[in-house]
Amino acid sequence: MTGFGNFENIDVDKVLRGAGEHFARMEEVQKGMAALVGRARDEDGLVTVEYTSGGLSELDLNPKAMRLSSGELAEKIKMVVRDAAQDLQEQVGTLMGEAFGEEDNPMRYADNPDAALQQVREIEAAYDRTFEDVMGELDRISRRLDL
């Protein structure tokens, strides 16, 4: 009787423990994400913003901001919202790095889509190799059994 290759040596308990640890880390990340708030203020202190995973959560305008033209105020608000969103993204990256380690941090691809695409290509190539190996093995078994 033929063995199951590397599958016969799998420690199922270890796999289950690893899955449990992974889900626990994900739960930690979810709780941590809910508490994160990105903050920013313009250099003049006229516009202050808080940004959460739900989007813009606080916008504070100093009364002096009303002296600006509507266009100037709009630009300041957009700039500060972008800065607060960037602050939140950096916090998320830090949280994910702490939970998964920098090597496995999914946020490392946020600013580098080329690296993400390269990772996908490597995974695809590994899948293709595995598929070819499995299909070859199934073909050999089929021939041995005269199917």
Side-chain angles (χ1 to χ4, degrees):
M1 177 170 205
T2 308
F4 292 102
N6 290 334
F7 290 111
E8 66 186 337
N9 297 322
I10 289 179
D11 182 348
V12 175
D13 290 331
K14 182 178 178 182
V15 171
L16 292 175
R17 277 192 309 274
E21 290 168 6
H22 181 75
F23 285 122
R25 281 195 307 263
M26 285 303 296
E27 189 174 328
E28 244 179 73
V29 167
Q30 283 181 324
K31 287 177 185 173
M33 291 275 287
L36 296 180
V37 178
R39 292 181 175 86
R41 179 188 311 196
D42 74 301
E43 64 277 355
D44 301 321
L46 300 177
V47 178
T48 304
V49 165
E50 289 186 359
Y51 200 90
T52 65
S53 61
L56 181 64
S57 60
E58 290 290 326
L59 171 62
D60 183 42
L61 300 176
N62 185 305
K64 292 179 184 176
M66 297 303 128
R67 296 181 188 149
L68 299 173
S69 71
S70 63
E72 291 172 318
L73 181 57
E75 285 305 311
K76 273 194 186 288
I77 291 171
K78 288 190 288 186
M79 178 194 66
V80 175
V81 167
R82 275 192 304 268
D83 291 348
Q86 178 63 37
D87 181 46
L88 177 64
Q89 184 175 357
E90 290 170 5
Q91 291 178 45
V92 169
T94 299
L95 180 68
M96 296 289 238
E98 290 169 357
F100 298 105
E102 287 308 315
E103 181 68 24
D104 295 325
N105 185 347
M107 293 303 292
R108 68 186 174 132
Y109 297 117
D111 294 328
N112 191 349
D114 290 336
L117 186 57
Q118 179 60 34
Q119 183 74 18
V120 168
R121 286 182 181 139
E122 289 173 11
I123 291 168
E124 180 182 32
Y127 170 81
D128 289 344
R129 285 189 306 271
T130 302
F131 181 77
E132 290 297 321
D133 290 347
V134 167
M135 293 308 290
E137 187 63 28
L138 288 174
D139 186 49
R140 281 189 292 280
I141 292 170
S142 174
R143 280 183 277 149
R144 230 184 338 209
L145 297 174
D146 289 326
L147 296 178

